[in-house]
Amino acid sequence: MKWLRLFFLHPVSFYQGAAFPFALLFNYLCIMDSFSIRARYLFLLAGGGALAVAAMGPYAVLVFTPAVCTVALLCSLAPQQVHRWTFCFQMSWQTLCHLGLHYTEYYLHEPPSARFCITLSSLMLLTQRVTSLSLDICEGKAETASGIIRSRSSLSEHVCMALPYFSYLLFFPALLGGSLCSFQQFQARVQGSSSLYPRHSFWTLSWRGLQILGLECLNVAVSRVVGAGVGLTDCQQFECIYVMWTTAGLFKLTYYSHWILDDSLLYAAGFGSELGQSSGEEEYVSDADIWTLERTHRISVFARKWNQSTARWLRRLVFQNSRAWPLFQTFAFSAWWHGLHPGQVFGFLCWAVMVEADYLIHSFANGFIRSWPIRLFYRTLTWAHTQLIIAYIMLAVEVRSLSSLWLLCNSYNSVFPMVYCILLLLLVKRKHKCN
């Protein structure tokens, strides 16, 4: 059981696992109606504070500070101004923290602290909740908090009125990972009675536990294969394709298992699939749609299904508000949000080009492929090509540094995105001629 021990020795997995009993306790107390609404908010907020201090140590202040400042902005600004100011402040704060990571890695050439990396990950998730909440307020979907600070109420009344916002930004089931939960869904869960009963919860969580078990078994098997072979620095010609594919497979298995664990923690606390139905909002989605991700032959579908809640958040925040080049603006912002490492900038911009090519290639192919044998061959070929392009992008994003990125670009692996780039140019030229 060494591999299982290694999984739970991963810092985030360990702290997420430690939070499980408290998530189940919160859900149980809600079922028994033993909690007032204010006590529920306080329980989630106190749990978030305790988890942040335990996982991040002194770096927890980097998460607490923007949360407090965001609530102050929400409570003092008009609804039309909230989003602009909170977005600018939160992204500026997050960028400064990422620059600290750049300084440590690229200037001092030192490995960053594990606690600091956890803090940055939590800060990125906080940015999602901050911007989601500010957009909801601007669009009239959430109750405005403006006027709380200007009112003549006592300090304790101010804090009580701002408590739902503090609790939403720092609630412990979503502090270190998990799908984005909107403020309306959060309120509906806290203020309503739980529909998650112990027997149903046990079987669902047991099934997810088995999924994590299976993914970790595969993870160990693939890691042994990767460890026994050569890396990108030593591979030659077509061997580099195999190295890229196996290494990307290892990254994907790690993401899948962590996403299921994060989703299970949210589910254990009652923040599950019933939220979207009960609040009338967009249905809650899990980040790990493994079946779709592994069988799709379209890069655009993979982009929408990979980390689904983040993809929806990016679409709402950037894509729908962009007047020119929305696709490229969305992927460029994603690179900024992830930290602007060289590999991330290259990887996300490459992904944008591949998605644009994907739209044109498949719309062109669907126009003349009629017989099912040719269509089956076409789907098989494009599935393999999609998986290899995704592996290429994933390695670029994960290796991050310029030296590793240079090795990847100089390998035979660059053939796969280059094919799509050439097809994109030809189809764009053809489209202009037809017009």
Side-chain angles (χ1 to χ4, degrees), residues 311-339:
R312 286 190 178 187
W313 169 69
L314 288 169
R315 183 179 182 84
R316 182 189 181 197
L317 181 69
V318 184
F319 189 88
Q320 294 178 349
N321 295 306
S322 301
R323 296 180 181 178
W325 302 94
L327 184 66
F328 287 93
Q329 285 193 46
T330 302
F331 279 96
F333 176 80
S334 185
W336 179 22
W337 179 66
H338 278 87

Side-chain angles (χ1 to χ4, degrees), residues 78-95:
Q80 296 78 12
Q81 300 174 314
V82 163
H83 178 64
R84 184 189 305 116
W85 284 98
T86 54
F87 174 83
C88 291
F89 172 79
Q90 183 65 27
M91 285 305 299
S92 299
W93 182 272
Q94 182 181 302
T95 302

Side-chain angles (χ1 to χ4, degrees), residues 147-158:
I148 290 179
I149 290 180
R150 294 191 296 269
S151 66
R152 297 183 178 181
S153 304
S154 64
L155 178 62
S156 61
E157 290 176 327
H158 284 160

